[in-house]
Amino acid sequence: MCGITGYIGKKIATDILVDGLKRLEYRGYDSCGVAGISPKSELYLKRVSGRVDALDALIAKDPLKKGVVGIGHTRWATHGVPSEDNAHPHTDCNKQVVIVHNGIIENYLDLKGRLLKTGHKFKSETDTEVVVHLIEEKLKTLNVSGAAARGAILEPVFFEAVRRAIAELQGSFAMAVLWAKCPNMLLAARQHSPLVIGLGDGENFIASDVSAFLKYTKKAVFMNDGEIAAVKADSVSYFNFQGKKLDHSPVTIQWDSTMAEKGGYKHFMLKEIHEQPESVENTLRGRLLPLNGDILQQEINLPSELIKNIKGVQIIACGTAYHAGLVGRYVFENFGLPTSVDFASEFSDRAKIVNKDILVIAVSQSGETADTLYAVREAKASGGKVLAITNTLGSTLTREADFVLYTHCGPEIGVASTKAFIGQMAAMYVLAIHFAVIRKNIFEADARKYVDEFLKIPRLIEDTLAGEGAISKVAECFAQSEHFLFIARHINFPIALEGALKIKEISYVHAEGYAAGEMKHGPIAIIYKGMPVLAIATTSKMLSLVANNIEEAKARGAEVIAIVDEDSRKIIKASKYIVVPKTLEILSPLLTVIPLQLFAYFVALSKKCDIDKPRNLAKSVTVR
Ligand code: G6P
């Protein structure tokens, strides 16, 4: 993970870099730093253990030199504890070359051993530092001092040194490198970690994600694996790792920079919870009708023949996206298509079950999750076709998958995923309904009924959100509990898992999601007097069984908080009720998840937790 920024132009680089780092903090936030080159070609650097605000405050007190080229980094530790020494940027022995890196250099110990023998001195425990020393070594072999003495232009030397160093690296990296002797050029390289170039007017940017530079430009080039970019103030050139020049056309990003701001909400998470009606609406827009599948064919180029011929679906994803996959399984199977779901990180050994008869659906908000990308590669190697559901234009997943269906949720900044989850579920319904029609597993008239009800969902989410005040009061009553159990059956079981995950992520308390029917086979033992049990008990064919499970929990002293609709409210006996509007059972997860997100949010708020940046987590996990 980690966030990278780079700038070259006419403005003071540090301001732009720090501002960009603030927007990338969701990628990691245990330490950070910036470096640049002054007009007198001096390399300067500032790092802190902690957040970007601390770096900003330090720079305000002790300003850096005013260079117009620089690089920045916000870190999520992999090798080496979070500390100032391990914070990026890292420099070579002579403090001439400086680097920021995201990813893992797998052969760093071998390289470090070699570099130590040739006299390099290391100042950190990171894998990254070997890269900067390796570049220093390559510069030596390219006889820089000789080249400088001869007045040779140093840019090709710098490029070649970085290129040769990269050739020795194994693992994943996105990096930006600066050399004090060559202040008019920044080098950026990418291998299995995201990197995007922002193209401005007389200025250019490097970042892990477009949100870092959207304020300045919407024109971007997403780098591919195996590429180096030579970034100058008025031009960018692209090369492969063999040094061959490449052509790239920029894309225009539709997101607005204000979309990545809090807009009056206390936290991004709360703002994003409130954006969910729009997330569903945007993900559905223009995609449901006509039902004959033309839309899928035109938009994502998914041939009807493939849909007709597949024998099953395999969903792979991580974290919250995995829960969307579990909902997807119920939806696809409801329409007669056998579906399996796996954590991407557990998929390896099962990849061999994939063949041309199985459509693999990879779900990922960021499109950069390393576990998901590896699983996709394995599935493709076994002969599977991969359809990506993602929120991120230009992400690695979009380039590796055969087909892409975007969720149009806008940037999600809160580390705990909310609106992206609802968008992923919405995308599953869109696909499942179309597949069912194309495979003739449903009559069009029946599909129409689902579509009509589905189109009401954004308004019903708004109604659910209107209950926020009541939900916050319930959450406050239980905010000091150390354990929470979430139970539900059938299509709402993944929502119980998601409810438990949300509260774990942002409140750091123990929470378990369980299939309500399974509770009696084990977890019932942990119930104690006063323990909060959140039960999803909306109208369904399973309701009477859920009611039994609620009674079982109450009999052991649980305080049951029931998520009900107006009809099931009459049947369920609980300590507290949270009422959501009634909809079709199959669509109910789109509503029942809302109070659980809000519940988690208000528990975390009462506990004064850092809601948008929970400890130990990162939004996009680009290591395996
Ligand atoms: C991280 C985040 C989770 C997210 C998961 C998958 O662990 O903290 O919130 O659900 O990655 O992310 P993706 O971008 O692939 O959906």
Side-chain angles (χ1 to χ4, degrees):
M1 11 256 213
C2 307
I4 289 180
T5 53
Y7 174 80
I8 185 160
K10 301 184 195 76
K11 301 183 188 127
I12 306 297
T14 303
D15 302 345
I16 293 171
L17 296 171
V18 171
D19 184 54
L21 289 180
K22 286 185 182 164
R23 292 164 198 279
L24 293 183
E25 250 191 325
Y26 71 84
R27 302 179 64 84
Y29 34 81
D30 57 46
S31 53
C32 54
V34 287
I37 300 175
S38 75
K40 291 185 184 158
S41 295
E42 301 149 308
L43 196 150
Y44 57 87
L45 175 138
K46 185 89 79 191
R47 302 181 301 184
V48 294
S49 168
R51 302 265 165 107
V52 179
D53 276 344
L55 178 71
D56 207 7
L58 199 68
I59 293 171
K61 255 206 272 163
D62 179 16
L64 288 171
K65 295 199 171 76
K66 298 199 182 314
V68 292
V69 56
I71 53 181
H73 189 269
T74 177
R75 179 169 186 248
W76 187 83
T78 55
H79 292 69
V81 295
S83 68
E84 191 181 323
D85 284 345
N86 288 335
H88 300 214
H90 291 286
T91 55
D92 64 337
C93 297
N94 294 315
K95 296 210 170 56
Q96 290 291 296
V97 186
V98 66
I99 191 169
V100 289
H101 161 231
N102 168 28
I104 293 182
I105 306 301
E106 287 163 8
N107 58 335
Y108 86 104
L109 284 175
D110 285 352
L111 294 169
K112 191 168 178 175
R114 228 176 67 198
L115 290 160
L116 282 168
K117 278 192 201 136
T118 51
H120 288 263
K121 299 265 179 297
F122 284 80
K123 303 167 289 281
S124 77
E125 300 162 303
T126 63
D127 52 338
T128 304
E129 200 187 338
V130 298
V131 185
V132 74
H133 289 281
L134 193 59
I135 295 170
E136 181 182 28
E137 196 62 25
K138 300 295 173 195
L139 283 169
K140 267 190 227 157
T141 58
L142 287 163
N143 192 8
V144 172
S145 40
R150 290 193 306 275
I153 299 170
L154 289 176
E155 284 167 9
V157 177
F158 181 30
F159 177 86
E160 189 54 19
V162 170
R163 194 191 72 76
R164 289 189 191 181
I166 281 173
E168 295 190 27
L169 304 181
Q170 286 162 18
S172 59
F173 49 84
M175 58 175 77
V177 196
L178 256 177
W179 183 28
K181 288 198 166 73
C182 198
N184 297 326
M185 183 173 81
L186 256 171
L187 291 177
R190 169 191 163 132
Q191 180 72 356
H192 303 314
S193 291
L195 206 57
V196 54
I197 308 293
L199 303 173
D201 186 9
E203 58 183 2
N204 290 308
F205 306 79
I206 299 171
S208 302
D209 160 342
V210 294
S211 57
F213 57 66
L214 272 185
K215 219 162 123 179
Y216 309 98
T217 180
K218 290 189 176 182
K219 258 168 65 183
V221 170
F222 292 93
M223 290 179 68
N224 296 311
D225 284 343
E227 290 184 359
I228 306 177
V231 185
K232 301 185 185 181
D234 47 16
S235 70
V236 185
S237 312
Y238 304 90
F239 304 86
N240 66 16
F241 284 175
Q242 287 68 47
K244 184 171 172 276
K245 204 155 190 285
L246 306 166
D247 276 335
H248 278 314
S249 313
V251 292
T252 304
I253 307 297
Q254 303 302 337
W255 291 356
D256 188 315
S257 64
T258 57
M259 286 165 88
E261 281 160 17
K262 282 189 206 146
Y265 287 92
K266 199 168 168 144
H267 294 98
F268 279 112
M269 182 179 176
L270 189 61
K271 174 182 173 238
E272 288 159 4
I273 289 173
H274 279 268
E275 285 172 345
Q276 293 182 107
E278 238 183 306
S279 302
V280 174
E281 201 145 0
N282 291 344
T283 303
L284 302 187
R285 183 166 294 137
R287 283 174 166 167
L288 284 172
L289 297 170
L291 280 165
N292 59 12
D294 281 359
I295 309 248
L296 292 187
Q297 192 126 13
Q298 282 158 23
E299 189 191 341
I300 57 179
N301 211 11
L302 192 63
S304 293
E305 279 315 299
L306 188 151
I307 298 169
K308 277 184 204 151
N309 293 336
I310 50 171
K311 300 206 164 45
V313 166
Q314 169 68 55
I315 300 174
I316 42 181
C318 304
T320 288
Y322 169 76
H323 295 155
L326 290 176
V327 172
R329 182 178 78 191
Y330 287 97
V331 182
F332 281 116
E333 292 193 341
N334 179 69
F335 295 123
L337 190 55
T339 302
S340 314
V341 193
D342 253 317
F343 289 122
S345 56
E346 288 291 323
F347 182 64
S348 298
D349 283 344
R350 294 196 62 240
K352 51 186 173 294
I353 61 135
V354 170
N355 54 43
K356 63 174 183 19
D357 296 333
I358 308 276
L359 177 67
V360 176
I361 302 185
V363 192
S364 171
Q365 187 285 129
S366 62
E368 298 294 351
T369 301
D371 287 325
T372 307
L373 294 173
Y374 271 83
V376 163
R377 286 169 200 145
E378 283 170 322
K380 286 184 79 172
S382 297
K385 288 279 181 212
V386 178
L387 164 63
I389 296 180
T390 182
N391 196 34
T392 313
L393 181 86
S395 57
T396 309
L397 182 60
T398 63
R399 280 171 289 154
E400 300 209 358
D402 299 289
F403 316 103
V404 182
L405 179 64
Y406 285 101
T407 53
H408 294 301
C409 301
E412 189 181 64
I413 310 293
V415 166
S417 183
T418 52
K419 66 174 179 174
F421 177 62
I422 214 146
Q424 290 159 352
M425 287 196 286
M428 293 286 178
Y429 288 103
V430 168
L431 289 174
I433 293 172
H434 279 302
F435 283 19
V437 173
I438 293 167
R439 293 167 64 86
K440 300 201 188 317
N441 287 345
I442 189 174
F443 293 117
E444 276 207 38
D446 291 331
R448 201 48 215 243
K449 281 187 208 145
Y450 285 109
V451 168
D452 289 346
E453 200 58 27
F454 198 3
L455 291 171
K456 293 182 197 154
I457 290 290
R459 298 293 74 77
L460 298 183
I461 297 176
E462 276 173 10
D463 295 347
T464 313
L465 287 166
E468 179 179 314
I471 297 167
S472 81
K473 287 205 180 86
V474 179
E476 272 161 32
C477 296
F478 296 96
Q480 298 320 315
S481 294
E482 284 174 8
H483 304 277
F484 291 84
L485 185 60
F486 290 72
I487 56 169
R489 281 181 181 247
H490 199 240
I491 197 163
N492 274 300
F493 165 50
I495 303 302
L497 296 176
E498 177 61 9
L501 178 65
K502 284 289 88 92
I503 208 159
K504 276 188 272 207
E505 283 178 313
I506 61 173
S507 292
Y508 322 138
V509 291
H510 166 238
E512 275 197 54
Y514 234 80
E518 264 305 288
M519 189 183 66
K520 58 185 174 293
H521 298 298
I524 201 163
I526 66 170
I527 294 180
Y528 55 86
K529 192 166 168 25
M531 179 179 184
V533 173
L534 285 94
I536 302 176
T538 44
T539 302
S540 76
K541 45 190 178 304
M542 298 285 184
L543 184 62
S544 60
L545 290 173
V546 175
N548 291 347
N549 304 136
I550 288 175
E551 290 307 316
E552 289 155 12
K554 277 165 43 190
R556 272 97 189 155
E559 293 280 339
V560 173
I561 304 154
I563 319 300
V564 292
D565 54 43
E566 65 199 40
D567 288 349
S568 65
R569 167 85 167 80
K570 295 173 195 146
I571 296 164
I572 299 295
K573 303 276 172 284
S575 310
K576 307 259 183 224
Y577 297 93
I578 296 174
V579 185
V580 297
K582 198 167 166 209
T583 182
L584 297 177
E585 180 182 349
I586 192 170
L587 296 174
S588 60
L590 294 160
L591 301 182
T592 53
V593 72
I594 310 286
L596 300 192
Q597 295 167 338
L598 286 169
F599 186 86
Y601 174 81
F602 286 111
V603 168
L605 194 68
S606 293
K607 295 171 82 76
K608 301 194 173 26
C609 292
D610 193 347
I611 291 178
D612 285 333
K613 295 183 194 116
R615 72 181 184 204
N616 303 342
L617 298 182
K619 180 137 196 82
S620 179
V621 183
T622 56
V623 292
R624 287 175 77 200

